[in-house]
Amino acid sequence: MDTKLRNKLENSLMGISLIASIIGMILIIRFTMLFLAREWATIMTFFTNVF
C-alpha cells in the first residue's frame, strides 16, 4: 500500500472519529438536559428537603 494513501486514510479516519465523538457528546448533553428539565422539580424538592 502506498504510504501517502495510507496517511490520507488514517487522517480521514481520525477526523471521522473526532466528529463522531463530538456528536456523541452533544447527544449525551442534550439527553442529560432533557432528563434534568423533566426531573428538575423532584430534584429541587429533594434538595430543599435535605437542606
Side-chain angles (χ1 to χ4, degrees), residues 9-23:
L9 273 173
E10 283 177 356
N11 286 342
S12 62
L13 276 176
M14 276 177 62
I16 290 166
S17 62
L18 185 73
I19 291 165
S21 61
I22 289 169
I23 290 170

Side-chain angles (χ1 to χ4, degrees), residues 1-43:
M1 202 174 185
D2 194 22
T3 49
K4 278 184 182 175
L5 188 66
R6 200 167 152 195
N7 285 346
K8 241 183 194 174
L9 273 173
E10 283 177 356
N11 286 342
S12 62
L13 276 176
M14 276 177 62
I16 290 166
S17 62
L18 185 73
I19 291 165
S21 61
I22 289 169
I23 290 170
M25 276 171 57
I26 290 168
L27 285 175
I28 288 167
I29 289 168
R30 278 190 64 188
F31 178 75
T32 312
M33 296 279 259
L34 284 170
F35 176 75
L36 280 177
R38 207 174 52 215
E39 302 292 324
W40 189 246
T42 45
I43 292 165

